[in-house]
């Protein structure tokens, strides 16, 4: 018998780098509002009521080069993985 196969894992950095966060936000949160240069989405936090005239979430590239999202109303933020967790649980 050979040695057991190594455990299957994932490379977080590779996954985050491979995802277009704006496209993922469109898929998970609905099409963006605003312009292509300044898109915004509703907050993925189910406890955050959407009461403003404009969606509070924007996507940007952080200091480390990772794409990140931030809700300017409630403060939730993160990477593509965090967005998936917020939306899908």
């Amino acid at each position: 018998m050979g040695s057991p196969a190594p455990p299957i894992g994932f490379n977080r950095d590779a996954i985050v780098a491979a995802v277009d966060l704006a496209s993922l936000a469109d898929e998970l949160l609905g099409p963006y509002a605003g312009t292509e240069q300044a898109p915004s989405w509703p907050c993925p936090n189910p406890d955050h009521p959407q009461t403003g005239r404009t969606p509070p979430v924007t996507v940007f590239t952080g200091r480390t080069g990772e794409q990140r999202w931030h809700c300017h109303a409630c403060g939730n933020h993160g990477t593509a993985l965090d967005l998936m967790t917020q939306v899908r649980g």
Side-chain angles (χ1 to χ4, degrees), residues 4-72:
I8 297 174
F10 65 92
N11 181 325
R12 176 215 172 270
D13 294 337
I15 292 170
V16 169
V19 172
D20 177 355
L21 187 52
S23 294
L24 180 64
D26 277 344
E27 182 179 327
L28 296 176
L29 305 173
Y32 68 83
T35 66
E36 191 173 320
Q37 291 77 27
S40 58
W41 295 264
C43 183
N45 180 351
D47 297 326
H48 175 192
Q50 307 296 310
T51 58
R53 286 187 35 189
T54 61
V57 171
T58 58
V59 171
F60 62 96
T61 301
R63 289 185 296 245
T64 63
E66 285 185 344
Q67 288 186 347
R68 303 186 62 80
W69 62 273
H70 179 82
C71 177
H72 300 278

